[in-house]
Amino acid sequence: TNRLVCMYVRPLRAGRLLDSPRHAARFVSLIPYERVASIGSSGRPEQWNSLHSFLCQKSGDCEDHSLLLCSLLLGFGMNAFVCIGCKKGGVAHTWVMTLAPHGVTTFWDSLTGEKFPHKPVKPDHPAGVPVPRPQHPYHTLGCAFNHHSFYANCQASDSLLVCQMDLNNQSLWKPMSEEAIKSVTGAPGLPAWSSLPPLCGCGIDPILFSNELEIELRSLTSQYRMDNGLTTRWDDNLCYLLTPALAAYELERCVALTSAGNEEFQEAIRWAVPQGHTFKGFPIQFVHRNAHRMFATCLKSPVCADILGCRGDHVRHAVRVKLYPYPEDVCAVWVMFAVQYRSVL
């Protein structure tokens, strides 16, 4: 069934499950990305999922992620729009835009959770003065919409280098009338969509699962080293000391605090690692909960493979797992492998 794009967005409140727009962006980015396969030779198919279908499937294309993120940001009271355009290289893409009352425009990438300021070149920019490079990966913008508005870009150029985001200026943006939108979204010939149920909490016990996964990864590590003729000794204290690092990594991804907790972690490691010994660590984040897949992925990294296959004197290994739950059983699973050993010159 053909539907107006505005019908795919609606303000969505997360109750007490998400604390802020940044937490909403983090939640959406953790839902696995799955590009919709093209059918025939017509190229990219125009097939979008309702918010409910996307949450049930727990995977989707960039459009699905952007529709959900825009709905959540609207629920947090922000003036949010889904943007349809292209990334650098001409790749079709969708993302989310928020407009602040004081005129600041922010782009949100629904696949990564990142935020980017949009600062276009002003029409009166002096000739010969270098133009600052955009901080975002987007190149062109064709239209923007939410649940009650649709704007088509009618500026001389759709390049975001020069696009102005004054949606109220009809010489820059051509709006679809609210009456036209209401006439289409309320068309009697369309089957009604049931109202979106509230988000469900995470039914996974993060402490229990983290402990179980840690035991599995220890077993896989010991078996891997045994297959290579090596023994494994675990340092439980070092395992525990890795926890603040994992907390700092998740905090950085969620609210963009780049140094929160890192100083304390580094200080503890310096006290824990004896003089003359070397410490190596390898953190990685997953969105699934399969220990064998995690271990196989880690082995593909030369850094982690070096840690897992470490040879030397007084070798002690550590692994720490921390699961961060989000709504709809979506999780960020952080794993860190580490080793300390005596350096031999």
Side-chain angles (χ1 to χ4, degrees), residues 49-69:
N49 293 305
S50 67
L51 298 179
H52 186 244
S53 296
F54 176 45
L55 290 171
C56 289
Q57 293 173 185
K58 289 185 170 59
S59 67
D61 214 327
C62 60
E63 292 88 356
D64 301 311
H65 287 77
S66 295
L67 294 169
L68 177 57
L69 178 57

Side-chain angles (χ1 to χ4, degrees), residues 4-6 48 81-82 84 142-153 167 173-178 181:
L4 184 67
V5 291
C6 299
W48 292 8
F81 299 83
V82 175
I84 299 180
C143 64
F145 66 90
N146 57 21
H147 58 305
H148 59 61
S149 303
F150 183 96
Y151 296 93
N153 188 354
L167 299 182
W173 294 90
K174 180 66 176 177
M176 179 181 286
S177 69
E178 291 190 16
I181 293 176

Side-chain angles (χ1 to χ4, degrees), residues 2-205:
N2 293 326
R3 296 177 183 271
L4 184 67
V5 291
C6 299
M7 297 182 67
Y8 289 85
V9 181
R10 66 188 75 177
L12 177 59
R13 298 174 66 178
R16 298 184 185 275
L17 299 177
L18 295 170
D19 294 333
S20 70
R22 287 182 179 268
H23 288 88
R26 177 62 171 153
F27 159 58
V28 174
S29 72
L30 290 169
I31 301 176
Y33 167 75
E34 183 178 348
R35 185 182 177 89
V36 178
S38 298
I39 301 174
S41 58
S42 59
R44 187 181 181 85
E46 291 296 329
Q47 179 179 337
W48 292 8
N49 293 305
S50 67
L51 298 179
H52 186 244
S53 296
F54 176 45
L55 290 171
C56 289
Q57 293 173 185
K58 289 185 170 59
S59 67
D61 214 327
C62 60
E63 292 88 356
D64 301 311
H65 287 77
S66 295
L67 294 169
L68 177 57
L69 178 57
C70 183
S71 297
L72 288 167
L73 296 184
L74 287 169
F76 275 109
M78 304 188 76
N79 190 23
F81 299 83
V82 175
C83 295
I84 299 180
C86 290
K87 298 177 74 173
K88 295 172 183 177
V91 179
H93 194 64
T94 63
W95 64 97
V96 177
M97 170 179 68
T98 53
L99 302 177
H102 49 285
V104 174
T105 301
T106 303
F107 291 153
W108 302 65
D109 194 298
S110 60
L111 298 180
T112 66
E114 294 177 283
K115 290 176 58 179
F116 306 98
H118 173 60
K119 298 178 180 179
V121 177
K122 296 182 179 180
D124 57 353
H125 186 80
V129 177
V131 175
R133 298 184 61 180
Q135 299 179 32
H136 55 75
Y138 316 119
H139 181 56
T140 64
L141 175 58
C143 64
F145 66 90
N146 57 21
H147 58 305
H148 59 61
S149 303
F150 183 96
Y151 296 93
N153 188 354
C154 59
Q155 298 175 59
S157 171
D158 61 358
S159 170
L160 283 169
L161 191 64
V162 295
C163 269
Q164 307 297 316
M165 294 304 169
D166 182 5
L167 299 182
N168 294 320
N169 187 337
Q170 294 194 20
S171 67
L172 303 176
W173 294 90
K174 180 66 176 177
M176 179 181 286
S177 69
E178 291 190 16
E179 292 75 15
I181 293 176
K182 290 179 181 178
S183 68
V184 175
T185 56
L190 289 176
W193 276 349
S194 58
S195 59
L196 182 66
L199 294 178
C200 298
C202 187
I204 300 169
D205 185 329

Side-chain angles (χ1 to χ4, degrees), residues 214 218 232-246 249 264-274 277-282 307 310 314-321 335-342:
E214 208 167 281
R218 279 196 180 202
T232 306
R233 297 189 65 180
W234 295 98
D235 187 326
D236 291 335
N237 181 59
L238 185 59
C239 289
Y240 181 74
L241 295 183
L242 301 179
T243 307
L246 301 185
Y249 299 144
E264 294 85 353
F265 165 67
Q266 294 172 6
E267 180 180 324
I269 292 299
R270 291 191 184 98
W271 281 112
V273 177
H277 286 62
T278 297
F279 170 85
K280 292 182 179 179
F282 175 77
I307 290 173
C310 182
H314 298 279
V315 177
R316 301 290 186 273
H317 279 84
V319 62
R320 193 65 169 173
V321 177
V335 177
M336 188 169 187
F337 286 99
V339 66
Q340 68 172 38
Y341 59 94
R342 187 168 65 185

Side-chain angles (χ1 to χ4, degrees), residues 253-300:
R253 293 288 183 91
C254 190
V255 296
L257 292 177
T258 56
S259 61
N262 272 326
E263 286 186 19
E264 294 85 353
F265 165 67
Q266 294 172 6
E267 180 180 324
I269 292 299
R270 291 191 184 98
W271 281 112
V273 177
Q275 187 173 3
H277 286 62
T278 297
F279 170 85
K280 292 182 179 179
F282 175 77
I284 187 171
Q285 181 233 296
F286 297 96
V287 296
H288 63 80
R289 303 184 292 275
N290 186 303
H292 289 270
R293 286 174 58 192
M294 291 177 179
F295 193 75
T297 299
C298 291
L299 281 176
K300 294 178 183 178

